[in-house]
Amino acid sequence: MGIALGGAVGAKTGLLVYADGDIPRLLQRVGSADGDRTAAMMRRLYPGCEIEECEGATLWDGVYPPKGTAYAASWPGVEVIGDQRVMIDLPSQLPEYLVSASAGRRLVLHAMHSVVDWLAFAVWEDGRLIRSLSLSPDSGVMENIGEPLPFELPYWAGNRPADIVPWPGEEEEPYPLPFHPLELGEDALRALCGFIQEGRPEPDDVDADGIKLHGFHMRDRHGPDLAEQEAELCRAVEAMPPPRVYTLGPDGSLIERDGL
C-alpha cells in the first residue's frame, strides 16, 4: 500500500474530557488543578482500580501515558484524563460508567495511533452519543455514527487526500481512505479540545504544554500486575524479526538501509 505522507507521524492520544461547555474555551482559563480533587475524580471514575499517585505530565505530552499510568486534572467545569485504556476501536462501546459520569455535560473521546494511522473520536452530550468515528487504512471505517462535524467536511468532500510514497519495488496504489486519518485527527483534536499534537500551532490554540496534569499508577485489582505485563511485552519484542529501515531518496522514493 505504501506510506502516506502529510499526517502527524508521531501523534498518539488516549484522551477523555468532561466539560460543562466549550472545551477549548474552558481549557484556556484553567490554572493549577487541585491534587485532592483530581484524585477523588480518578477514584470515582475507576472504581475497580488501585490508584497510586506518581509524577505528572503536561497536557501536551500526557495524552498518551505509559501503560498502567494515567494523567489527569480536575477543575471546576472541566476534567481531563489521558489513559491508553480509552483507545478502543469502537468509541460507542466506551464503558457505561464513564459515559454516565457525563450526565448534564459534554464528553469527548479522542484517540489516535500513528503506527497504524488509526483515529477514533466521539462526542456525547448529556450522556447521548451524537458523533463517533473510527477508521484506519488497514481496517477501513470501523464505526461511523451520527452526522459529520464541521471540521470533517473538507475530508469527506475529497479536499484533503493523502499523499502516498510506494514501498520499494511496488507500484503506487490508491490510499484505501479518502484522507489521512491522522490529519483529520489533528483537526479533530483542535476543534474539540483546542490544541494539537503536531503541526503548526495557531494563536488561539490552548497552551497544552503549560497545563499540568497529575499522575496516577493504575492497576486492575483483578488483573495482572505491571511487572507481569512488562515481562510479556519483553518476550513479544524479543520474538520480533530485525526492523527494516528506510530513507527517502532524491526522487522521493523509499530506499532500504542496511542496519539502523
Side-chain angles (χ1 to χ4, degrees):
M1 180 178 63
I3 295 177
L5 298 182
V9 296
K12 300 178 181 69
T13 64
L15 181 66
L16 283 183
V17 184
Y18 296 85
D20 293 341
D22 180 71
I23 293 171
R25 180 180 60 83
L26 289 166
L27 288 178
Q28 288 281 14
R29 302 177 178 180
V30 299
S32 298
D34 181 78
D36 291 340
R37 178 190 178 101
T38 301
M41 174 192 72
M42 295 300 288
R43 288 191 293 269
R44 183 178 73 251
L45 293 177
Y46 293 85
C49 285
E50 294 180 357
I51 298 173
E52 178 184 352
E53 295 186 33
C54 62
E55 185 177 357
T58 68
L59 178 59
W60 186 81
D61 60 11
V63 292
Y64 185 72
K67 192 172 183 179
T69 299
Y71 297 124
S74 175
W75 303 272
V78 60
E79 297 171 321
V80 170
I81 302 168
D83 186 353
Q84 284 195 37
R85 280 172 292 190
V86 306
M87 300 173 70
I88 55 178
D89 287 340
L90 304 177
S92 65
Q93 295 184 9
L94 186 71
E96 177 57 31
Y97 64 89
L98 291 176
V99 176
S100 62
S102 68
R105 314 180 79 189
R106 162 172 276 214
L107 170 60
V108 166
L109 180 153
H110 188 283
M112 59 184 176
H113 203 298
S114 57
V115 173
V116 291
D117 290 354
W118 168 70
L119 165 68
F121 66 85
V123 180
W124 292 259
E125 298 285 0
D126 192 17
R128 181 175 65 89
L129 182 66
I130 64 171
R131 179 63 174 141
S132 177
L133 179 68
S134 176
L135 74 171
S136 73
D138 289 336
S139 300
V141 178
M142 292 173 275
E143 184 161 271
N144 187 2
I145 298 173
E147 294 297 320
L149 299 173
F151 62 83
E152 300 179 58
L153 298 180
Y155 292 90
W156 294 113
N159 298 331
R160 300 289 300 275
D163 295 327
I164 302 296
V165 174
W167 290 105
E170 294 184 1
E171 294 183 2
E172 181 174 331
E173 297 180 5
Y175 195 67
L177 295 170
F179 51 81
H180 197 292
L182 300 185
E183 289 187 353
L184 174 57
E186 289 292 332
D187 280 347
L189 188 60
R190 171 177 277 142
L192 297 173
C193 301
F195 66 98
I196 57 173
Q197 280 287 283
E198 295 195 346
R200 180 175 298 175
E202 297 179 355
D204 293 336
D205 284 350
V206 171
D207 179 14
D209 199 38
I211 296 177
K212 304 298 183 181
L213 306 181
H214 295 275
F216 301 89
H217 289 313
M218 314 285 289
R219 190 176 76 84
D220 187 336
R221 292 189 177 97
H222 305 292
D225 62 27
L226 187 59
E228 292 174 351
Q229 296 177 39
E230 291 177 347
E232 183 178 352
L233 177 61
C234 288
R235 289 192 292 269
V237 170
E238 290 172 357
M240 294 173 63
R244 299 173 66 185
V245 181
Y246 294 87
T247 187
L248 284 174
D251 60 352
S253 62
L254 287 173
I255 303 171
E256 186 168 4
R257 294 166 48 190
D258 294 329
L260 293 178

